[in-house]
Amino acid sequence: HDRVLTRIGNKTLPGVQEAVWLPDGSSAFARFVTNEEGVDTVATYALPALGGEGYFLESGLAAVGVTGSSSVYTLLPRSSGSVATIASITGTGARTLFASPLKSLTLRPLGGNFIAPTKASSGISGYAFSVSSKAGVFTRILGPYTGLSTLPNPTGSRVLFSYVYLGKVFTSVLDVDKRTVTALPVTTLAEKCVWAPNGTSLYCGVPVALPKTLPDAWYQGAEPLSDRLWGIDLNTRLATLITDPTTIASITIDMVSLTIDPATDAVVFTNKLDGSLWAYDL
């Protein structure tokens, strides 16, 4: 196929930190830092599918994501906790998913519902809750785990999670229905993985060494990591080394934001060290 770049909006947004796309790639929600009255704030702008002017979402959102093909969810931190909202892609029909007294939450889809983990830190115990999309009811599925971070698979049947115990990182997978936990044959942070479309395989950047300052020092950029790309089959619990960038290209890559195409032909990831974009043909 021809690689053609098409501009979908006529608004210039400097310093975009994240772009959340619809599944068909027709439009996106761009997140960037703006300065309002001397205070840095995260702004989110909806880019329309057919060009023209879009619209701003509420300022200071902690999370924005797309669920299904026609809904957008947001998470807004407040002094009294967190408020999650669901609306159509056009911004209409908004309704409150939940209002929680918990402030340090993140949010992402979990099958037809949502998962709301607390933000990871080695200094506090973390929890993850499933949240029903209709009633907004919280059910604890993980925790307490220090430094807990999570990554649900496409159907919401399994959740990859990592945590820290006595300075050591552990990586496991939770079966949501059975409430059983299986340890992975490799050790990494959940943010360094992506689920294959089949929901039973993972591709992960696995650090050559895991310092005891994780995950906080890594989040802060003070502790860079050097990763190899591994594939993990959960049915056989077999881990396969796919590539080592330091060997084949003499470059150190700290892998984040991993994505995979529907045919499982290629893994795309960002090097946290310099923001460069990479792809590996599977």
Side-chain angles (χ1 to χ4, degrees), residues 12-171:
T12 300
L13 302 173
V16 172
Q17 303 293 308
E18 178 187 23
V20 180
W21 291 85
L22 268 67
D24 62 3
S26 61
S27 59
F29 295 88
R31 290 166 58 72
F32 58 99
V33 177
T34 183
N35 190 279
E36 299 178 3
E37 299 180 354
V39 179
D40 287 340
T41 305
V42 177
T44 306
Y45 189 79
L47 295 167
L50 301 177
E53 290 296 321
Y55 62 93
F56 277 98
L57 279 68
E58 195 165 1
S59 178
L61 294 172
V64 176
V66 172
T67 177
S69 60
S70 59
S71 298
V72 58
Y73 64 87
T74 62
L75 181 67
L76 178 66
R78 291 180 173 175
S79 58
S80 58
S82 304
V83 176
T85 303
I86 300 178
S88 70
I89 294 299
T90 60
T92 60
R95 67 176 178 87
T96 299
L97 173 63
F98 65 78
S100 170
L102 297 174
K103 296 181 181 180
S104 298
L105 286 176
T106 58
L107 189 67
R108 65 177 64 196
L110 181 70
N113 296 307
F114 293 88
I115 183 171
T118 54
K119 292 182 179 179
S121 173
S122 59
I124 59 173
S125 296
Y127 298 84
F129 306 89
S130 66
V131 183
S132 62
S133 58
K134 292 184 178 180
V137 176
F138 275 55
T139 302
R140 188 176 73 177
I141 59 173
L142 284 170
Y145 287 110
T146 302
L148 175 68
S149 59
T150 62
L151 182 69
N153 72 355
T155 63
S157 61
R158 290 172 170 168
V159 177
L160 169 73
F161 67 100
S162 59
Y163 63 98
V164 177
Y165 180 68
L166 297 178
K168 185 178 180 180
V169 176
F170 293 85
T171 315

Side-chain angles (χ1 to χ4, degrees), residues 142-227:
L142 284 170
Y145 287 110
T146 302
L148 175 68
S149 59
T150 62
L151 182 69
N153 72 355
T155 63
S157 61
R158 290 172 170 168
V159 177
L160 169 73
F161 67 100
S162 59
Y163 63 98
V164 177
Y165 180 68
L166 297 178
K168 185 178 180 180
V169 176
F170 293 85
T171 315
S172 301
V173 171
L174 168 73
D175 185 305
V176 175
D177 291 331
K178 296 179 181 178
R179 291 292 194 271
T180 55
V181 172
T182 303
L184 288 192
V186 296
T187 303
T188 188
L189 300 173
E191 292 90 345
K192 288 181 166 292
C193 295
V194 63
W195 285 94
N198 62 18
T200 59
S201 299
L202 288 155
Y203 292 89
C204 296
V206 178
V208 175
L210 288 163
K212 293 185 177 181
T213 53
L214 297 179
D216 300 58
W218 181 71
Y219 292 147
Q220 296 161 3
E223 192 72 73
L225 300 173
S226 177
D227 295 331

